[in-house]
Amino acid sequence: MTSPRWDLVYRPRKLPRWAIAAAVVIMAIHITFGLLLTIEDVGVRNLGGSDQVAIILIGVLFTGAALLFTRPRLRVGPEGVEVRNLVPTRLFTWDQVLGLTYPEKGYGAWLLFPSDEHITVLAVQAGDGPQAVEAMARFRELEERYRGTVRPAN
């Protein structure tokens, strides 16, 4: 199977920056508390090196979870729409997609499907401002080109 050609590849601008900042803070807090854990004036006296390592490893896990927010991406091409949120990457063909909209209350755009179903597209965030508006406009251009006015049946 050949890889599809993508006409639009969009990633959020602010979300990855916030995620990296949060990851740094989370790791710094866990390293600090891990190192301070065995100071006798601070806490219980029966804590040791394994407890320090455990606190730091928990920080590594939380940091990894925060870094998942650097992954969101939206790709659009002749084969359809590919959405990658935190973990899964899913490709939807044009006959499955009704459109892309931004709800009045929400943090990300919605990819619409028949029967009032949708998934959140974390890549298109309101906080990105003009870049997100431009991405949605470009999506609609490509949607018209590849899908035309034919809507999938419910």
Side-chain angles (χ1 to χ4, degrees):
M1 180 175 171
T2 63
S3 69
R5 190 188 81 198
W6 302 109
D7 295 317
L8 170 65
V9 176
Y10 182 75
R11 295 175 188 266
R13 304 290 188 254
K14 293 182 181 178
L15 185 63
R17 292 177 186 156
W18 282 105
I20 291 170
V24 168
V25 169
I26 290 168
M27 201 65 231
I29 288 171
H30 280 82
I31 289 173
T32 302
F33 285 135
L35 295 176
L36 295 176
L37 194 60
T38 58
I39 295 176
E40 292 182 14
D41 294 341
V42 176
V44 183
R45 297 184 195 276
N46 62 352
L47 297 174
S50 62
D51 298 307
Q52 289 179 302
V53 171
I55 293 290
I56 293 171
L57 288 178
I58 289 171
V60 169
L61 290 175
F62 287 156
T63 299
L67 289 175
L68 287 175
F69 285 94
T70 63
R71 291 182 43 85
R73 177 183 68 203
L74 172 70
R75 297 198 300 190
V76 182
E79 291 190 21
V81 180
E82 183 186 82
V83 177
R84 181 173 73 187
N85 284 329
L86 299 183
V87 177
T89 300
R90 294 181 279 182
L91 176 65
F92 302 99
T93 58
W94 285 110
D95 61 343
Q96 296 174 308
V97 175
L98 285 177
L100 185 69
T101 188
Y102 198 87
E104 285 185 33
K105 295 180 181 179
Y107 51 87
W110 287 356
L111 189 61
L112 302 175
F113 302 103
S115 302
D116 291 330
E117 296 177 353
H118 70 274
I119 63 165
T120 301
V121 180
L122 291 177
V124 183
Q125 299 277 320
D128 287 337
Q131 294 90 358
V133 172
E134 184 180 319
M136 289 195 62
R138 181 74 176 129
F139 176 91
R140 290 185 178 127
E141 289 172 14
L142 294 169
E143 176 187 25
E144 188 174 324
R145 180 191 316 167
Y146 293 124
R147 192 173 50 88
T149 57
V150 177
R151 297 281 181 187
N154 284 336

